[in-house]
Amino acid sequence: VDGVSLDLRDQMVTLMTKARTRAVADAKARAEQYAQAAGMRLGPVLSISETGSSSAPGPVFPGAAFMAESAVPISAGQQQVTSSVVVVYQLAS
């Protein structure tokens, strides 16, 4: 074994779908706040574009750290999956 690398390959599609759904919901909530503050309401969505979505790289462990005769525990880490969207709404009075 030369090293250990942990990733989200098997779960990436599901995680990105959830991240995109949450990003669009967040954009709508913010747009509703702005519309309400302006005394208007949201109309239909005019466009949606995705910007800067990513999966932050996970930890990569060098092989030498794992070359021991007994089992070496692997510490839990974190990976972050994000989605950023720009949603343009039409405003209605």
Side-chain angles (χ1 to χ4, degrees):
V1 175
D2 187 34
V4 175
S5 177
L6 306 173
D7 63 39
L8 298 172
R9 239 176 270 163
D10 295 342
Q11 301 172 14
M12 187 53 73
V13 171
T14 301
L15 293 171
M16 283 304 301
T17 298
K18 288 180 182 181
R20 288 178 181 122
T21 299
R22 289 179 182 167
V24 171
D26 182 56
K28 183 177 182 180
R30 289 174 187 235
E32 286 173 337
Q33 290 175 358
Y34 287 122
Q36 185 178 18
M40 303 184 86
R41 61 182 176 80
L42 289 185
V45 173
L46 300 177
S47 69
I48 300 176
S49 58
E50 186 172 25
T51 61
S53 297
S54 68
S55 169
V60 177
F61 302 102
F66 289 94
M67 295 184 135
E69 292 195 9
S70 63
V72 176
I74 297 176
S75 299
Q78 290 185 352
Q79 287 196 343
Q80 184 174 4
V81 177
T82 63
S83 180
S84 298
V85 295
V86 175
V87 182
V88 178
Y89 289 91
Q90 181 176 338
L91 291 177
S93 51

